[in-house]
Amino acid sequence: MKSTPLHIKLDQKQEKLKSELDMQDDVVFKQVFIPGYEVSGLFVFVNGTMDYPAFNEIVLDLSAAKVESRHTVSIEMLVISKICSVREQDVETYGKAKEHIFDGKTLLFIDGLANGYVLNLKKEKIRTLSEPSTERVVRGPKLGFIESLQENIGLIRQYSNHPNLIVKQQKLGTLEKREVALIYYEGKASDPLLKEVNNRINGVKTTDLQDSGMLEELIEDTSFSPFPQIQNTERPDKVLAALQEGRDRQKKFWDYPTMGRSLRM
């Protein structure tokens, strides 16, 4: 299945995908009819991961599409115009389609078109930004880290717009992919230590990282560790203060759980 190209006909696509996903009861197949073109489309996604208001808006746009008599637009161009804000890439094989589905993406197939479209309609399950529950302050910032890595990085960027603040991201885990960010000031962080940290991270072999504590255990060496002190914090101001100090420090943040973990040198 990995290298099998997608069928052109929609019913063949649906039959093939269903045969491969017959044990997955949470995978949804939803058809939409585009009356102006007399063509059907098929959305495939995992139930519960969808931003349904955004999804319904696309379905309504496609269902109401009409053919303009003066300027005829192909069905391909019409669909692309309706999904351009959430379209990430195209998919050509059933293997890749299956990967995207279980990555929380929505796939759209159109009858008569071989390739499918990968749509990012994922619904982020995060809390709103609020004061850190474990580190309340009388003065200063009232916002703390949450479950979203990108939101946490955005908070740090709000405190510092310096061009030397570097953010390097990658995914870890062979089964469940978790985003990890290495954040440091170029010129302040020691190059040998950065290399050591990257080597430790790249050497992590695990199926899933449930939380930042698990990664901490995997990258630490009990006999000798370049990370003698682990500092937990929910506060972005503490992170920036540590990054700006004269001592070399590296910062890591995970999207599980809400904490940032500071590796102090």
Side-chain angles (χ1 to χ4, degrees):
M1 176 182 173
K2 288 186 177 180
S3 59
T4 304
L6 297 169
H7 292 89
I8 293 179
K9 290 188 174 296
L10 194 64
D11 58 348
Q12 290 178 308
K13 282 192 181 81
Q14 180 167 321
E15 182 179 353
K16 178 67 173 177
L17 284 170
K18 283 188 173 182
S19 68
E20 296 292 339
L21 303 169
D22 59 350
M23 299 300 291
Q24 310 296 338
D25 293 334
D26 58 341
V27 177
V28 178
F29 293 80
K30 180 176 178 61
Q31 288 205 15
V32 58
F33 185 66
I34 308 174
Y37 291 79
E38 298 296 315
V39 170
S40 292
L42 175 69
F43 289 96
V44 185
F45 55 91
V46 175
N47 195 23
T49 63
M50 173 78 70
D51 182 349
Y52 286 100
F55 171 72
N56 289 333
E57 185 175 342
I58 291 176
V59 171
L60 289 174
D61 284 347
L62 290 174
S63 300
K66 297 179 180 180
V67 178
E68 297 290 341
S69 57
R70 291 186 178 181
H71 304 286
T72 303
V73 178
S74 68
I75 181 62
E76 184 176 11
M77 294 306 297
L78 170 79
V79 171
I80 290 175
S81 70
K82 301 296 184 183
I83 64 174
C84 60
S85 62
V86 294
R87 177 190 177 197
E88 286 195 344
Q89 57 183 292
D90 294 355
V91 62
E92 300 177 353
T93 66
Y94 286 101
K96 286 295 183 182
K98 189 174 180 179
E99 287 181 19
H100 288 301
I101 291 170
F102 290 115
D103 191 34
K105 302 298 173 62
T106 300
L107 299 189
L108 172 60
F109 303 104
I110 303 297
D111 194 20
L113 300 181
N115 293 351
Y117 303 104
V118 181
L119 312 182
N120 188 354
L121 290 169
K122 292 173 68 174
K123 180 180 180 181
E124 295 292 337
K125 297 177 175 60
I126 60 174
R127 296 174 292 120
T128 57
L129 296 175
S130 60
E131 184 177 0
S133 59
T134 60
E135 299 177 275
R136 297 185 181 277
V137 294
V138 177
R139 297 180 180 178
K142 301 296 184 181
L143 297 180
F145 294 128
I146 56 175
E147 289 86 352
S148 169
L149 178 66
Q150 299 306 320
E151 291 286 348
N152 292 343
I153 293 173
L155 278 176
I156 294 173
R157 289 289 190 189
Q158 288 180 25
Y159 285 93
S160 174
N161 59 1
H162 199 286
N164 286 350
L165 182 63
I166 307 299
V167 177
K168 299 288 187 181
Q169 292 182 237
Q170 65 184 94
K171 290 185 177 182
L172 296 181
T174 57
L175 183 60
E176 297 290 341
K177 301 293 185 181
R178 301 292 186 191
E179 286 279 357
V180 177
L182 175 64
I183 306 176
Y184 60 93
Y185 274 105
E186 188 174 26
K188 284 195 173 184
S190 166
D191 290 337
L193 282 174
L194 281 174
K195 183 177 180 180
E196 176 68 20
V197 171
N198 278 305
N199 288 340
R200 295 287 182 99
I201 293 176
N202 293 329
V204 170
K205 304 299 181 186
T206 184
T207 56
D208 182 23
L209 289 172
Q210 291 296 327
D211 54 40
S212 55
M214 176 183 264
L215 182 55
E216 175 187 327
E217 293 177 1
L218 291 171
I219 65 175
E220 278 197 309
D221 185 343
T222 55
S223 60
F224 171 77
S225 174
F227 316 129
Q229 182 179 0
I230 301 296
Q231 181 186 53
N232 298 330
T233 182
E234 293 183 62
R235 290 173 50 184
D237 60 316
K238 279 192 174 182
V239 169
L240 260 297
L243 286 171
Q244 292 166 352
E245 286 182 3
R247 288 181 294 171
D248 293 330
R249 295 164 184 256
Q250 274 73 45
K251 300 293 171 185
K252 289 185 182 53
F253 299 95
W254 294 266
D255 52 358
Y256 263 71
T258 64
M259 294 286 189
R261 295 230 171 187
S262 164
L263 305 184
R264 304 183 57 168
M265 283 12 124

